[in-house]
Amino acid sequence: MLETVLIRDRDFGTPESLHTEVVSLTIDGQILEVPVGTSVMRAAAIAGIHIPKLCATDSLEAFGSCRLCLVEIQGRRGTPASCTTPVEAGMVVQTQNDRLQKLRRNVMELYISDHPLDCLTCPANGNCELQDMAGVVGLREVRYGYEGANHLEDSTDSSNPYFAYDSSKCIVCNRCVRACEETQGTFALTIDSRGFSSRVAAGQNQDFLESDCVSCGACVQACPTSSLMEKSVIELGQPEHAVITTCAYCGVGCGFKAEMKGDQVIRMTPWKDGKANRGHACVKGRFAWGYATHPDRMLKPMIRKSIHDPWQEVSWDEAFAYTASEFKRIQQQYGRDSIGGITSSRCTNEETYLVQKLVRAAFGNNNVDTCARVCHSPTGYGLKTTLGESAGTQTFDSVEHTDVVIVIGANPSAAHPVFASRLKKRLRQGARLIVIDPRQTELVSSPHIKADYHLPLTPGTNTALLTALAHVVVTEGLLDQQYINERCEPEAFNEWRDFVSLPENSPETMGPICGVPAEDIRGAARLYATGGNGSIYYGLGVTEHSQGSTTVMAIANLAMATGNIGREGVGVNPLRGQNNVQGSCDMGSFPHEFPGYRHVSDDAVRAQFEQAWDVSLQSEPGLRIPNMFDAALSGSFKGLYCQGEDIVQSDPNTQHVAAAMEAMECVVVQDLFLNETAKYAHVFLPGSSFLEKDGTFTNAERRISRVRKVMEPKAGMADWQTTCALAQALGYPMHYDHPSQIMDEIARLTPTFSGVSYTHIDALGGSVQWPCNEQAPAGTPTMHIDKFVRGKGRFIPTKYVPTEERSNRKFPLLLTTGRILSQYNVGAQTRRTSNTAWHSEDLLEIHPQDAEDRGIRSGDRVSVKSRAGETALRATVTERVQPGVVYTTFHFPESGANVVTTNNSDWATNCPEYKVTAVQIQRVTQESDWQERWSDFDHKQQRLLKGESLTDEANTSDTVLQPELSPQV
C-alpha cells in the first residue's frame, strides 16, 4: 500500500547499475551477486549491511570526499572508499572492525569540531544524517575545541522565500552542488575558495534569490544536515507521516510525498519512486502548494440573481436547488441545448468524467468541452488521423535513449522543468539537439548545452518549416523505406512523398517564408534523419496556430518517414500544459466524443453508455467553447457549469468572452478562488484542491497516477461530490461512495482503461500507462511498437496556408505568448504563493532594434494594440526574441494579455491562434482603457463579495467589459 509511507526513503548510497551481467563477491561473510558496475557500498546495502556515509546518496554519482565509508578489501592495501569502489568477481570485503571503527570516528570527530552542537534546537533534529552518523560511529566526545579557526559564526542566507542556507552547518560534502549539476542541470551552485575556506556559493557575491538558482529544491533534498532547510520545517518542525500523491501543476505528473503533521502539510518532497520525475521536482510542485490554505479560498457556496448584486452565502443544498431550478427554467424557455458545461484539466479523471456525464445524462445534450480545446486539441486530431491514437507515444524515460532531439514550439525549462532536467542530462551525455522556436529559449544555449541548430522561424510558419525538413529527407534519400513499406499505407505515402518533393516545398523556397536559412533547414533534416534514435517533443507553440492540426500531422509524417516511432528513444511527444489535460481528453470532455475518443454518432458505443447510465443520449455533437460564446451572444445559450477553469482570463479575445458571459442568465463556477470567470457568475460552488481529494491524474506520457487526500475538503465537499449532488438536484441519480467506484465505471466503459483500478495501480507501484487492458495488463509504456493503433500509419500532405493574421504598417510586430518557470497558467494558484518573488507581473519582451525604433527602454510601460483590443505592459529589452517578434506571458489578469489575442483558430479544432497576433507597440505612461475598466469592475466585484450594494452608483453596467467596447476583428 502507498497510502502512508515512511518520511525517509531507503538510500543505497550510489545509483543502480544497469548492467545485466552479474558478479559474485563476499561482504562481511555474506555471498551475494550484483550487477557489474555496482559499488561496494550499494552491494552492501542490498545485503542489508549499512556502511556509514555523508557525501554519498543514490541519486548522485559517487564522489568519495567524506572518507566515512572506508572498507577493507582482501588483497588490497589501505582502506578505499566503498562508494567509489566497484565490485569485482571474488572480492572479499570487510565493512566493520576496530580499525575501520577508529578511522570513521576520527573522521566524524573532525566534522563535529567545526559544527554547532545545537541539535536540540536544530530544525533537522531527528532527520539529520550527520547526527545519525555520529551515533553510528560511536562518537561520544570531541577532543578539539572551538578556539581555532571555524565557521560557527558564518551568516545565514534567507533570501530565498522557501529555504534558508546556514553556512555554519555546512560540511562541504558537495551533495548540493552535484544535485544542481547532475539532477537539475542548472549549475547554479559551486564550491567557493579552497581548503578550510571552502564554502558553497550560489554565484559570485550573490545570494540564492539573485543567483541562477531555479529553486527546484534538489540541493535542499540532497543536504545531509540543516545547512539547506525548508523554511516550513524551520517554522513548523519535522513532519511525522507522509502520503504519496501527484503534483497538480504541469503535465509531467510528478510523484510527491506530502509530509504531514496531523492534517497540516509541512513540506512536499519529490517521491523517489515516482516514475515520471524519478525523485526530482521544480519550484512549483516542491514549494508552491500554499495556495491550498490561502485566505482567498472561497469556502461557502454563494448565489446572486445578477452580477451587479451582492453575493449571498447559502448552504450547499440551497445552492444546488437554486442551480437546478435555474437550469430547468432556462431549458424550458430556450430549449434543451441552451445550457452546457466545461470540464477542468486541473481536476481528476474521475471528476472530469462526472461533469461530462452530468452534461450528457442530466442536461440531455453534448454541450461539453474542456480547456484542451484551447491548447492541445490539434494533438488529438493530428495524432488520431496519422497514428490512430490521440496521445504521445513514449515514456519520459525514453529520452535517456535518444540520440537526436527536436524541440519545437516548447520551452520545457519553463513549462515542464523536471522533464527538461532529464533532457539536459541526456544532452550533456552527447545527444544532439535541434530547437525550432521564434525565441532563444534556455535550451538553445545554457551551461554545458548548446543546440546544434536553432531555427528561429517566423511565428505561424511551423507547417512550412516541417514540410521543408521532409523535403530534404525525401529528396536526399534519407527515408527509412523498409519501415515505411512494413508499417504505413503505401498510397498515402506515395501521395505525401510526391507532395513534399515539389520545389515549392524545398528549403530554398520555404526558408525565406520561415525566416530561416535554407542550409540550416537542410542540416537539421540530415541530423534528425541520420543521427540515430530521433525524438520530437512539442508544445503549445505547435498547436495554438491556425494550422495547429496540420503541424501535428507534419510532425507525425516526419517521424514515420524516418522510422522514429515504436521503440525507446524515439517518438512523437506532446508536452501537455496542465496536470490533467491528457486525462480530461481521455474522459470524453469533447462535444463529439465519449470517454476513450469514441464518436457520439456511433450507435453501438452510444447504446453502451445509454445502458450504463440508464438514459437516452444525443447522437449529434454539441457546442465547442467558441460556439458556446457565439451562441450566448446570439441569445440561444443561457446557462453554463464551469468547473475549475478560468475561461475569461485564459481564452482569447477577452472582451468577446466577457460579453458572452454577461449575456448568460445562469453561470455556475466551481473553483478555489473568485477568479475572473466567477465575476460573471450567478452561483459559486467552492472547489477542493488536490490535497483534499482522491482520484487520478493522467500525464503527458499517458501515465495514470493516484491522487490521495491528505486533508479533509475545506469547504466540506470534494469536487466529485459537488457534481453528484448537482445531478441529484436536477433529478438524475448519480451516487458513488468513493472515487474508486467512478474509476471502476470508467474502466467498464472505456477499452483503453479496462484494466485500470486503484488496486491495480497500487500493485504496479503507483501508476500505469494506458492502454491498460487484457492485452496490456501492466500498461503500455511505448505505443505503436509492432503496428500503429489504426493499423497502417497514414501520411497526410501538409500544405502551408499562411495565417490570416498578418503584420502590416499599422500592426508591424508579431506577438507570441508562453509561460515562465515560477508561474502557472492563469496564475490563480502560483500568484497566491511566494513565487511572485521571481515574477510579479507579465512583461513584454522586445528586441533592442524594435525598442530603439520606438524609443523604448527596459521598465517602460508600453501599449500593446492589436485588431482585437489594447492593453499595456512593462517592457523588457532582450535579444531572446528576434526583430519583428514580441513575447509575453498571461499569468496575471490585470495584464490583459488575451485582450489583444484574436478569434483566429485552428481549421480543424478551433484551438485559438494565441501564438500569432499582429500588434503595434508604443511607449505610454498609463494603463490602457481596458485595464482601467477591469480595475473598476474588479473593485466593485470585491465589494459585492463583501455583501455591499452598488445601487447608489450610477451606470454600474458600464464597468462590465461590454462587447461594443471591443474593436471588431
Side-chain angles (χ1 to χ4, degrees):
M1 292 291 291
L2 298 173
E3 296 288 340
T4 303
V5 294
L6 297 175
I7 296 291
R8 300 171 72 174
D9 291 320
R10 186 180 180 190
D11 192 328
F12 291 85
T14 60
E16 180 183 8
S17 172
L18 300 180
H19 283 281
T20 56
E21 181 184 355
V22 298
V23 297
S24 177
L25 74 158
T26 302
I27 302 181
D28 291 350
Q30 291 190 45
I31 300 175
L32 62 151
E33 291 186 341
V34 295
V36 170
T38 301
S39 71
V40 169
M41 174 180 284
R42 186 178 184 93
I46 292 171
I49 300 168
H50 302 291
I51 301 174
K53 59 183 176 59
L54 280 174
C55 73
T57 181
D58 57 16
S59 64
L60 302 171
E61 295 299 323
F63 194 60
S65 69
C66 75
R67 314 312 295 170
L68 203 63
C69 69
L70 307 177
V71 295
E72 290 183 351
I73 300 176
Q74 192 176 86
R76 292 194 188 183
R77 299 177 59 186
T79 51
S82 61
C83 64
T84 56
T85 303
V87 297
E88 294 179 3
M91 181 180 279
V92 177
V93 180
Q94 186 75 31
T95 71
Q96 301 290 340
N97 58 37
D98 290 343
R99 179 192 181 200
L100 293 172
Q101 181 75 0
K102 183 177 180 180
L103 287 172
R104 291 170 182 161
R105 191 160 46 237
N106 288 342
V107 169
M108 179 57 68
E109 188 176 10
L110 290 172
Y111 278 115
I112 298 301
S113 70
D114 190 20
H115 195 84
L117 297 180
D118 58 354
C119 290
L120 291 179
T121 57
C122 178
N125 186 29
N127 191 6
C128 172
E129 293 181 48
L130 184 68
Q131 186 183 60
D132 292 344
M133 291 305 105
V136 167
V137 303
L139 184 64
R140 297 293 176 261
E141 61 179 350
V142 178
R143 293 169 291 172
Y144 314 110
Y146 289 150
E147 294 79 11
N150 60 58
H151 300 92
L152 301 182
E153 300 301 321
D154 283 8
S155 61
T156 298
D157 178 359
S158 297
S159 61
N160 189 287
Y162 295 119
F163 61 84
Y165 168 55
D166 184 349
S167 180
S168 71
K169 305 286 181 70
C170 180
I171 61 173
V172 200
C173 65
N174 228 286
R175 274 166 57 165
C176 60
V177 177
R178 290 182 286 139
C180 190
E181 295 173 358
E182 297 177 25
T183 305
Q184 170 57 29
T186 298
F187 292 81
L189 304 183
T190 187
I191 299 296
D192 189 33
S193 194
R194 302 176 66 181
F196 180 77
S197 300
S198 298
R199 267 310 175 251
V200 173
Q204 189 171 6
N205 299 320
Q206 289 181 310
D207 58 30
F208 269 83
L209 186 62
E210 295 173 333
S211 73
D212 292 335
C213 169
V214 294
S215 298
C216 67
C219 59
V220 180
Q221 185 79 0
C223 183
T225 71
S226 66
S227 184
L228 284 160
M229 178 63 68
E230 299 95 336
K231 289 183 176 179
S232 59
V233 176
I234 295 173
E235 178 183 353
L236 301 173
Q238 287 289 330
E240 58 189 23
H241 69 277
V243 178
I244 298 295
T245 191
T246 303
C247 181
Y249 279 114
C250 79
V252 173
C254 295
F256 273 89
K257 291 192 300 182
E259 299 192 3
M260 314 287 295
K261 182 182 289 185
D263 64 352
Q264 183 179 37
V265 178
I266 303 299
R267 63 182 169 195
M268 297 290 287
T269 304
W271 185 31
K272 186 176 180 179
D273 294 327
K275 294 180 177 62
N277 56 320
R278 302 295 181 186
H280 190 35
C282 78
V283 61
K284 294 189 287 289
R286 183 74 158 86
F287 296 115
W289 40 267
Y291 68 87
T293 54
H294 194 276
D296 285 353
R297 280 284 301 271
M298 306 302 296
L299 302 179
K300 297 288 186 180
M302 301 185 297
I303 62 174
R304 59 182 177 176
K305 186 66 177 177
S306 163
I307 65 170
H308 306 297
D309 292 339
W311 283 106
Q312 300 178 39
E313 288 188 1
V314 296
S315 69
W316 280 104
D317 288 342
E318 288 175 300
F320 295 136
Y322 180 81
T323 301
S325 174
E326 283 293 280
F327 278 171
K328 288 178 181 178
R329 175 189 65 79
I330 289 170
Q331 286 189 303
Q332 184 175 9
Q333 182 175 351
Y334 299 100
R336 181 174 61 176
D337 295 331
S338 59
I339 64 174
I342 296 177
T343 73
S344 174
S345 293
R346 288 195 287 273
C347 288
T348 65
N349 287 315
E350 295 77 4
E351 291 160 346
T352 302
Y353 173 84
L354 290 188
V355 172
Q356 63 86 33
K357 180 178 179 179
L358 171 79
V359 172
R360 293 191 160 102
F363 292 4
N365 60 48
N366 287 317
N367 294 338
V368 62
D369 211 345
T370 185
C371 85
R373 171 71 55 207
V374 301
C375 60
H376 268 285
S377 51
T379 286
Y381 183 91
L383 295 186
K384 185 81 169 181
T385 302
T386 52
L387 310 181
E389 193 59 270
S390 303
T393 64
Q394 312 294 128
T395 66
F396 289 135
D397 287 345
S398 178
V399 76
E400 298 175 5
H401 304 278
T402 194
D403 299 307
V404 181
V405 183
I406 293 179
V407 177
I408 174 170
N411 183 8
S413 297
H416 304 85
V418 171
F419 167 73
S421 293
R422 301 186 70 180
L423 170 60
K424 287 186 284 187
K425 185 173 184 178
R426 177 62 188 141
L427 294 173
R428 293 195 301 272
Q429 293 170 345
R432 312 286 292 278
L433 176 64
I434 301 163
V435 175
I436 304 175
D437 199 287
R439 296 173 71 233
Q440 183 172 313
T441 63
E442 184 202 9
L443 285 179
V444 173
S445 181
S446 59
H448 303 274
I449 293 174
K450 184 173 178 60
D452 293 86
Y453 290 95
H454 175 213
L455 309 182
L457 76 173
T458 301
T461 61
N462 285 331
T463 296
L465 182 61
L466 284 163
T467 304
L469 291 170
H471 176 94
V472 177
V473 172
V474 170
T475 59
E476 295 190 5
L478 305 179
L479 293 164
D480 188 336
Q481 196 63 55
Q482 181 178 351
Y483 181 94
I484 294 167
N485 293 342
E486 294 174 355
R487 301 286 304 274
C488 303
E489 294 180 356
E491 292 183 5
F493 166 70
N494 292 337
E495 181 184 359
W496 173 81
R497 179 195 59 203
D498 294 343
F499 164 75
V500 297
S501 298
L502 295 172
E504 65 195 57
N505 291 319
S506 69
E508 287 69 29
T509 302
M510 289 298 190
I513 293 173
C514 301
V516 178
E519 57 269 25
D520 287 352
I521 297 175
R522 288 190 176 275
R526 292 164 185 156
L527 175 58
Y528 174 72
T530 65
N533 285 342
S535 57
I536 302 176
Y537 295 87
Y538 70 88
L540 304 186
V542 161
T543 56
E544 291 179 342
H545 287 273
S546 62
Q547 280 200 286
S549 293
T550 310
T551 303
V552 172
M553 291 188 287
I555 290 172
N557 290 339
L558 190 62
M560 288 189 293
T562 54
N564 279 312
I565 297 180
R567 63 184 185 277
E568 281 198 304
V570 299
V572 175
N573 307 282
L575 295 173
R576 302 282 187 165
Q578 297 188 64
N579 55 299
N580 204 34
V581 171
Q582 182 68 59
S584 69
C585 299
D586 299 341
M587 293 298 102
S589 293
F590 289 129
H592 65 291
E593 289 176 333
F594 288 118
Y597 305 99
R598 291 165 295 163
H599 205 279
V600 296
S601 64
D602 187 314
D603 292 340
V605 171
R606 196 172 61 259
Q608 182 186 13
F609 281 91
E610 287 178 336
Q611 181 178 6
W613 295 349
D614 192 26
V615 68
S616 178
L617 300 173
Q618 282 192 335
S619 60
E620 291 295 323
L623 298 176
R624 298 172 174 179
I625 290 174
N627 305 139
M628 294 180 190
F629 296 154
D630 292 341
L633 290 171
S634 69
S636 62
F637 189 82
K638 291 293 186 178
L640 179 68
Y641 172 41
C642 184
Q643 183 189 72
E645 292 294 338
D646 191 358
I647 53 178
V648 171
Q649 186 180 344
S650 65
D651 282 40
N653 197 346
T654 300
Q655 296 175 97
H656 176 77
V657 177
M661 299 300 293
E662 191 188 2
M664 298 185 204
E665 295 182 6
C666 184
V667 174
V668 180
V669 169
Q670 183 177 345
D671 215 302
L672 302 177
F673 306 104
L674 200 74
N675 58 24
E676 297 303 296
T677 305
K679 294 174 182 177
Y680 297 87
H682 307 88
V683 179
F684 185 88
L685 303 175
S688 54
S689 73
F690 79 112
L691 296 171
E692 301 159 50
K693 62 180 67 173
D694 287 295
T696 57
F697 293 149
T698 305
N699 74 351
E701 53 174 359
R702 296 170 285 104
R703 185 178 301 283
I704 308 164
S705 300
R706 281 294 313 276
V707 180
R708 292 182 175 84
K709 182 169 65 175
V710 302
M711 62 176 70
E712 291 301 315
K714 289 190 165 297
M717 297 184 76
D719 291 336
W720 67 273
Q721 294 172 311
T722 302
T723 303
C724 288
L726 179 55
Q728 298 277 14
L730 286 164
Y732 179 77
M734 192 185 287
H735 175 76
Y736 306 89
D737 295 319
H738 189 269
S740 61
Q741 297 172 346
I742 306 172
M743 178 53 73
D744 292 341
E745 181 176 316
I746 294 167
R748 288 194 300 271
L749 295 171
T750 311
T752 50
F753 276 64
S754 64
V756 178
S757 69
Y758 287 12
T759 301
H760 192 53
I761 290 174
D762 285 349
L764 292 173
S767 67
V768 63
Q769 289 174 267
W770 67 260
C772 176
N773 45 34
E774 288 185 2
Q775 293 74 36
T780 310
T782 302
M783 295 283 285
H784 317 294
I785 292 177
D786 298 316
K787 64 178 182 179
F788 291 101
V789 171
R790 68 183 310 277
K792 295 283 189 178
R794 184 183 179 192
F795 284 87
I796 303 291
T798 52
K799 182 176 177 57
Y800 169 61
V801 179
T803 173
E804 295 179 2
E805 182 69 4
R806 313 282 183 87
S807 59
N808 57 23
R809 291 178 62 185
K810 187 175 182 181
F811 302 107
L813 304 176
L814 292 178
L815 170 70
T816 189
T817 62
R819 297 176 179 175
I820 199 161
L821 172 64
S822 59
Q823 295 294 332
Y824 172 71
N825 205 36
V826 296
Q829 295 149 275
T830 46
R831 281 187 282 109
R832 291 176 170 90
T833 71
S834 295
N835 280 27
T836 52
W838 292 280
H839 191 79
S840 58
E841 64 177 317
D842 293 316
L843 302 172
L844 184 84
E845 294 185 3
I846 184 170
H847 189 272
Q849 177 182 315
D850 294 324
E852 183 177 359
D853 291 344
R854 292 162 176 77
I856 294 170
R857 297 180 179 179
S858 286
D860 287 348
R861 181 167 289 277
V862 298
S863 79
V864 183
K865 187 174 184 179
S866 73
R867 296 177 176 94
E870 181 178 5
T871 189
L873 301 167
R874 280 202 308 124
T876 180
V877 180
T878 174
E879 292 186 351
R880 286 170 62 90
V881 292
Q882 56 184 295
V885 176
V886 291
Y887 170 88
T888 191
T889 52
F890 52 92
H891 304 304
F892 293 80
E894 59 268 30
S895 299
N898 281 320
V899 170
V900 299
T901 52
T902 70
N903 287 332
N904 294 339
S905 64
D906 172 51
W907 64 271
T909 66
N910 281 136
C911 182
E913 191 173 41
Y914 292 107
K915 304 306 182 190
V916 188
T917 305
V919 296
Q920 177 59 286
I921 309 298
Q922 291 180 317
R923 184 180 177 187
V924 295
T925 58
Q926 61 187 19
E927 293 181 331
S928 67
D929 290 342
W930 177 88
Q931 287 169 315
E932 291 180 357
R933 286 186 286 114
W934 175 87
S935 180
D936 184 44
F937 184 48
D938 180 69
H939 171 69
K940 291 180 177 179
Q941 287 296 313
Q942 293 301 322
R943 288 184 57 189
L944 294 172
L945 180 63
K946 297 175 183 177
E948 299 177 13
S949 175
L950 302 179
T951 54
D952 58 327
E953 298 187 26
N955 300 320
T956 57
S957 62
D958 290 345
T959 62
V960 183
L961 307 180
Q962 299 280 4
E964 61 266 27
L965 297 176
S966 173
Q968 294 298 310
V969 179

